[in-house]
């Protein structure tokens, strides 16, 4: 099988991730912090070690501000519902995944907040000046994707972070498609809140992810419950990470995530990005008739600028075929897994002009090879030739 759906979840995982999970859960899978016995202490130490590694990878000065939850969606909900208050205004963009759009739309529909959705440029970028223009006196939050899961474009979060900070608001970055693939420095780039998912570029298993909650953000408690620490308090503790981490965490998953993050720190995120961008270029260059595909501008950037400013995914369409049809043919006749459709990002597809059918998305991963891409290109050529 050729797996080109790494933007949905990375697969397969690198061997150390499988091994690390198995070794940890066989040796020590206790409930962290719940009870003073050695196994519980080991589980807590493993989780805190993973926090430290993530803090290093993401440029977070205080590891206790790395909060574990189920996935990026969980982190985004924690942030959006945890910082916005009645009467606030929020700014977002047309490139967002539903895990940003839906919680914001819900708050807007319920009359809690007002919302501005800024457009993207023809190159699928969010212009920092557009963000500056959207500000109102009551703007509290700017919520943006770092790398779009539809267009693959990387947004200028550093420039936007400066604008947001100057105006005293908070910047929430959805790093679902960038953590582990694009260098991130929350401290340098003025990122107050960063939602990450553990099972894509961070190479861990599903059911891991969460939120980085920076010092400027006052995030209200989320899932209230046991923390394994001081049980005398009638309400959730204020301190991080316990403020946002009620309940038993995904210990098995975090043990795998730790190995994924370790591997990324050793290899270097820049090298992963270069590898994945190079693979998309191989796909483009291996096609006999690339002009049969609609590229939404990506072919230009891949060919002329080596994919600069993009992650290793591309959305295409094949004329005469619905995206779902291409996905099914690739799956059934070529054993190639891609993701057709709207990718949970309807506004992004409206922006591209590909709504409601969507596109076919190919996404490379750390273990994808050039040969995988050449075979995918050959399959596209065969399908388009009829
Ligand atoms: C840009 C973006 N944001 C958020 C998410 C949600 O991630 P998860 O399903 O892990 O919560 C995804 C997943 O595809 C995504 O691509």
């Amino acid at each position: 099988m050729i797996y080109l759906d790494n933007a949905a979840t990375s697969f397969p995982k690198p061997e150390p991730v499988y091994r690390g999970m198995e070794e940890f859960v066989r040796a020590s899978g206790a409930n962290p912090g719940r009870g003073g016995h050695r196994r519980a202490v080991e589980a807590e130490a493993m989780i805190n070690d993973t926090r430290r590694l993530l803090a290093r990878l993401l440029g977070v000065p205080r590891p206790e501000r790395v909060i574990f939850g189920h996935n990026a969606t969980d982190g985004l909900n924690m942030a959006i519902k945890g910082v916005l208050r009645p009467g606030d205004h929020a700014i977002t963009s047309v490139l967002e995944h539903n895990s940003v759009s839906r919680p914001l739309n819900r708050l807007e529909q319920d009359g809690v907040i007002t919302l501005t959705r800024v457009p993207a440029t023809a190159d699928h970028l969010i212009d920092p000046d557009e963000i500056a223009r959207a500000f109102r006196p009551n703007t509290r939050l700017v919520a943006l994707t770092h790398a779009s899961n539809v267009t693959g474009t990387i947004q200028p979060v550093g420039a936007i972070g400066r604008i947001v900070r100057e105006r005293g608001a908070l910047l929430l970055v959805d790093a679902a498609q960038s953590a582990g693939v694009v260098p991130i420095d929350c401290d340098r780039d003025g990122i107050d809140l960063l939602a990450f998912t553990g099972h894509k570029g961070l190479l861990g298993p599903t059911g891991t992810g969460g939120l980085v909650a920076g010092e400027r953000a006052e995030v209200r408690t989320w899932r209230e419950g046991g923390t394994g620490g001081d049980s005398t308090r009638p309400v959730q503790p204020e301190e991080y990470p316990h403020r946002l981490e009620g309940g038993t965490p995904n210990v098995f998953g975090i043990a795998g995530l730790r190995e994924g993050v370790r591997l990324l720190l050793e290899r270097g995120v820049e090298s992963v990005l270069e590898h994945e961008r190079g693979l998309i270029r191989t796909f483009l260059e291996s096609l006999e008739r690339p002009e049969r595909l609609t590229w939404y501008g990506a072919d230009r950037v891949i060919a002329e600028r080596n994919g600069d400013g993009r992650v290793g995914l591309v959305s295409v369409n094949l004329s005469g075929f619905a995206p779902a049809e291409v996905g099914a043919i690739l799956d059934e006749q070529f054993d190639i897994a891609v993701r057709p459709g709207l990718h949970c990002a309807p506004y992004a597809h409206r922006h591209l002009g590909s709504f409601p059918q969507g596109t076919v998305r190919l996404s490379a991963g750390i273990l994808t090879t050039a040969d995988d891409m050449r075979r995918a290109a050959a399959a596209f050529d065969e399908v388009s030739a009829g």
Side-chain angles (χ1 to χ4, degrees):
M1 194 246 290
I2 297 176
Y3 182 80
L4 295 178
D5 196 17
N6 288 277
T9 197
S10 50
F11 178 78
K13 307 294 176 188
E15 267 311 305
V17 173
Y18 297 124
R19 272 204 308 275
M21 272 174 88
E22 181 170 3
E23 279 166 19
F24 187 82
V25 300
R26 284 189 190 282
S28 184
N31 200 331
R34 272 78 168 169
H37 57 79
R38 273 172 295 154
R39 298 289 181 272
V41 173
E42 272 170 31
E44 175 119 30
M46 180 279 292
I47 289 177
N48 286 334
D49 191 33
T50 313
R51 261 189 242 286
R52 274 192 295 276
L53 294 171
L54 274 166
R56 247 174 74 201
L57 188 78
L58 302 173
V60 180
R62 291 175 57 189
E64 70 274 18
R65 294 287 179 141
V66 177
I67 313 299
F68 288 115
H70 302 310
N71 44 41
T73 305
D74 211 22
L76 289 162
N77 274 269
M78 271 185 221
I80 291 170
K81 294 170 184 168
V83 303
L84 286 170
R85 301 181 201 144
D88 283 344
H89 171 245
I91 300 171
T92 188
S93 89
V94 294
L95 294 181
E96 305 310 313
H97 189 275
N98 274 338
S99 53
V100 171
S101 306
R102 284 183 170 162
L104 287 171
N105 290 347
R106 164 62 57 199
L107 291 174
E108 186 192 32
Q109 272 181 27
D110 289 350
V112 179
I113 62 163
T114 49
L115 184 63
T116 302
R117 184 170 283 109
V118 301
T121 66
D123 290 332
H124 322 310
L125 290 170
I126 302 304
D127 178 355
D129 291 339
E130 196 75 56
I131 299 286
R133 277 194 291 278
F135 259 83
R136 297 184 192 161
N138 59 338
T139 304
R140 186 182 302 280
L141 184 70
V142 176
L144 295 175
T145 184
H146 191 188
S148 160
N149 66 321
V150 176
T151 65
T153 43
I154 303 170
Q155 304 307 324
V157 289
I160 294 172
R162 281 189 289 283
I163 290 171
V164 174
R165 213 154 261 206
E166 270 164 27
R167 287 160 177 76
L170 298 169
L171 175 62
L172 164 62
V173 169
D174 171 5
Q177 294 297 341
S178 61
V181 179
V182 182
I184 295 177
D185 190 327
C186 289
D187 199 30
R188 182 199 62 203
D189 287 340
I191 299 171
D192 297 296
L193 298 148
L194 180 122
F196 61 95
T197 204
H199 64 98
K200 301 185 198 263
L202 293 176
L203 309 173
T206 48
T208 57
L211 180 71
V212 171
E215 315 262 346
R216 295 171 67 246
E218 258 307 301
V219 188
R220 283 190 295 279
T221 55
W222 178 240
R223 250 180 274 102
E224 285 155 307
T227 55
D230 178 3
S231 296
T232 60
R233 297 202 211 160
V235 294
Q236 197 74 4
E238 289 294 309
E239 310 82 59
Y240 291 90
H242 299 305
R243 178 201 284 234
L244 295 168
E245 277 189 358
T248 302
N250 179 358
V251 181
F252 293 8
I254 294 171
L257 177 60
R258 175 167 68 161
E259 301 311 318
V261 178
R262 254 193 201 142
L263 195 147
L264 290 164
L265 285 165
E266 275 162 26
R267 173 161 171 178
V269 165
E270 290 86 351
S271 133
V272 178
L273 182 59
E274 201 179 315
H275 166 73
E276 295 183 6
R277 270 183 190 158
L279 290 167
I280 300 294
R281 187 181 178 123
T282 303
F283 172 70
L284 170 67
E285 289 175 349
S286 306
L287 285 163
E288 276 174 15
R289 302 280 304 274
E291 69 283 0
R292 284 194 177 146
L293 272 60
T294 306
W295 291 87
Y296 304 98
D299 54 341
R300 213 172 4 89
V301 182
I302 296 163
E304 292 164 18
R305 290 194 272 131
N306 209 17
D308 191 28
R310 303 179 49 84
V311 292
L313 70 85
V314 71
S315 266
V316 293
N317 264 323
L318 203 50
S319 76
F321 292 86
E325 209 181 339
V326 177
I329 296 172
L330 291 175
D331 183 27
E332 287 158 21
Q333 296 180 25
F334 297 89
D335 203 13
I336 297 175
V338 296
R339 173 91 181 267
L342 291 176
H343 313 102
C344 303
Y347 299 96
H349 282 283
R350 283 185 206 274
H351 156 77
L352 285 185
S354 50
F355 188 88
Q357 293 209 317
T359 54
V360 180
R361 183 183 71 189
L362 288 79
S363 49
I366 196 168
L367 297 180
T368 309
T369 64
D371 194 47
D372 292 336
M373 302 316 280
R374 285 192 282 269
R375 286 164 62 193
F380 266 85
D381 280 329
E382 213 175 310
V383 176
S384 69

